């Protein structure tokens, strides 16, 4: 047993040292980190202006300035007001791009096309507030007393979900999670199949199997490439969290992010173990690299189906389809981490899903190792499963 583990670790170390030095791996790792790190920054770059320049034409429009400043959220919107002599000056300033909008005494709001939605709503609210106060005074009423009478405490909002009011943020985290898991899984398991075919086609596997057993070689390959896939996932998560901290978005992240991250890592390992064993078994049936994509079609179809269900679970985490398939291997490897990120999932469901996935991984690893052992030394034409299954028993 000790020699088996040692041989597998030796193969894993070789896979890591060889693959981790390739330009493709390093460039892919850097691009993945940069892409995820850029996501929190993109809304700040393309989220539109947070400051507006407004022109005021006439004495009556000047009353909008204090009302608009009172309504504007100070940390989100900055308003700059400019007094203009006439409407012609307002037209010229808006056309030149010096002003976003202008208010004229006769109650018109000037803009180049439609005013920015946020600014338009703000100026309309200020206009209503000023006009209401003026009409109350004209009717002989005290605006302060009327305002006080209308200041009714709002309804207290209470969420019935322990997830709190961050469902939108949780959905965003789940969306990013499902995309990351899918692309990292399909990349990692394809590397396993490509490695198997490469060794078989070049007949290096025949030399390797003179020193170690097929199970040790396959186990080491899965461990080594899995470690690189896990490293990729850790780097991506670290880049995303680091960018969120740097941009101030970390405070908007949902509670329990530590559990979500650890769960994603665990489910990635389970999904990788399942699909990599399947990929290795299918890859051992062919001897040429150009046949890899076709022989992996059953695996990629299954993985894509899991991705589509997980994508659906982002918006309907409590739906029947998402709940059922989050318990069924191998769908659970992608659907369950998405459900736990998007909503609250009972602990017993997570436990059952993990147990069933572990059993499925054990079955697929055993069957995959037998198919690999029977097919990896048989070069030449593409093998069919029925050709190697009798020998794999």
């Amino acid at each position: 047993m000790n020699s088996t583990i040692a041989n597998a670790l030796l193969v894993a170390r070789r896979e890591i040292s060889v693959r981790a030095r390739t330009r493709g791996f390093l460039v892919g790792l850097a691009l993945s980190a940069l892409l995820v790190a850029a996501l929190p920054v993109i809304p700040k770059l393309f989220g539109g202006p947070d400051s507006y320049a407004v022109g005021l034409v006439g004495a009556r429009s000047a009353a909008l300035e204090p009302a608009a400043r009172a309504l504007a959220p100070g940390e989100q919107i900055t308003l700059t007001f400019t007094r203009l002599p006439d409407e012609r000056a307002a037209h010229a300033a808006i056309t030149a791009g010096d002003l976003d909008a202008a208010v004229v005494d006769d109650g018109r709001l000037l803009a180049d096309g439609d005013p920015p939605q946020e600014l338009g709503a703000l100026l309309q609210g200020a206009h209503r507030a000023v006009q209401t106060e003026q009409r109350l005074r004209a009717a002989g009423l005290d605006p302060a007393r009327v305002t006080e009478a209308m200041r009714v405490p709002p309804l207290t909002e209470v969420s019935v979900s322990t997830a709190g009011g961050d469902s939108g943020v949780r959905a965003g985290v789940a969306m990013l999670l499902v995309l990351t898991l899918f692309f990292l899984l399909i990349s990692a398991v394809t590397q396993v199949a490509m490695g198997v075919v490469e060794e078989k086609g070049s007949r290096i596997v025949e030399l390797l199997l003179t020193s170690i057993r097929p199970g040790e070689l396959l186990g080491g390959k899965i461990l080594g490439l899995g470690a690189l896939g896990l490293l990729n996932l850790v780097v991506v998560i670290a880049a995303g969290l680091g960018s969120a901290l740097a941009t101030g978005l970390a405070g908007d992240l949902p509670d329990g992010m530590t559990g979500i991250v650890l769960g994603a890592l665990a489910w990635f390992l389970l999904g990788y173990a399942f699909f990599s064993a399947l990929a290795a078994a299918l890859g051992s049936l062919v001897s040429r690299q150009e046949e890899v994509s076709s022989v992996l079609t059953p695996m990629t179809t299954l993985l894509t189906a899991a991705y589509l269900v997980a994508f659906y679970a982002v918006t309907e985490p409590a739906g029947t389809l998402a709940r059922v398939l989050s318990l069924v291997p191998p769908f659970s490897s992608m659907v369950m981490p998405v459900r736990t990120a998007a909503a609250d999932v009972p602990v017993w469901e997570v436990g059952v899903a993990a147990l069933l996935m572990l059993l499925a991984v054990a079955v697929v690893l055993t069957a995959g190792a037998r198919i690999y052992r029977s097919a990896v030394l048989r070069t030449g034409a593409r093998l069919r499963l029925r050709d190697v299954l009798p020998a794999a028993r």
Side-chain angles (χ1 to χ4, degrees), residues 264-324:
L265 296 176
W267 284 108
F268 170 80
L269 291 176
L270 289 173
Y272 170 77
F274 182 96
F275 287 107
S276 63
L278 188 58
L282 294 174
S284 65
L285 299 177
V286 297
S287 303
R288 298 185 299 169
Q289 296 283 348
E290 54 267 28
E291 295 179 304
V292 173
S293 60
S294 62
V295 80
L296 290 184
T297 298
M299 184 213 69
T300 54
T301 301
L302 186 59
L303 186 53
T304 302
Y307 163 74
L308 293 176
V309 176
F311 196 88
Y312 163 79
V314 172
T315 56
E316 295 290 341
T320 302
L321 179 65
R323 289 193 63 185
V324 171

Side-chain angles (χ1 to χ4, degrees), residues 34-48 243-244 247 249:
L34 288 174
L35 177 62
V36 174
L39 291 178
V41 181
I42 291 175
K44 291 184 175 292
L45 295 177
F46 303 99
S243 181
T247 56
L249 294 180

Side-chain angles (χ1 to χ4, degrees), residues 277-278 280-286 295 298 367-368 370-372 374-375 378 382-393:
L278 188 58
L282 294 174
S284 65
L285 299 177
V286 297
V295 80
R370 290 178 177 176
I371 294 173
Y372 174 84
S374 301
R378 298 168 65 176
R382 174 176 172 174
L383 301 172
R384 293 172 295 183
L385 277 176
R386 63 185 181 187
D387 297 329
V388 298
L389 283 177
R393 292 174 182 173

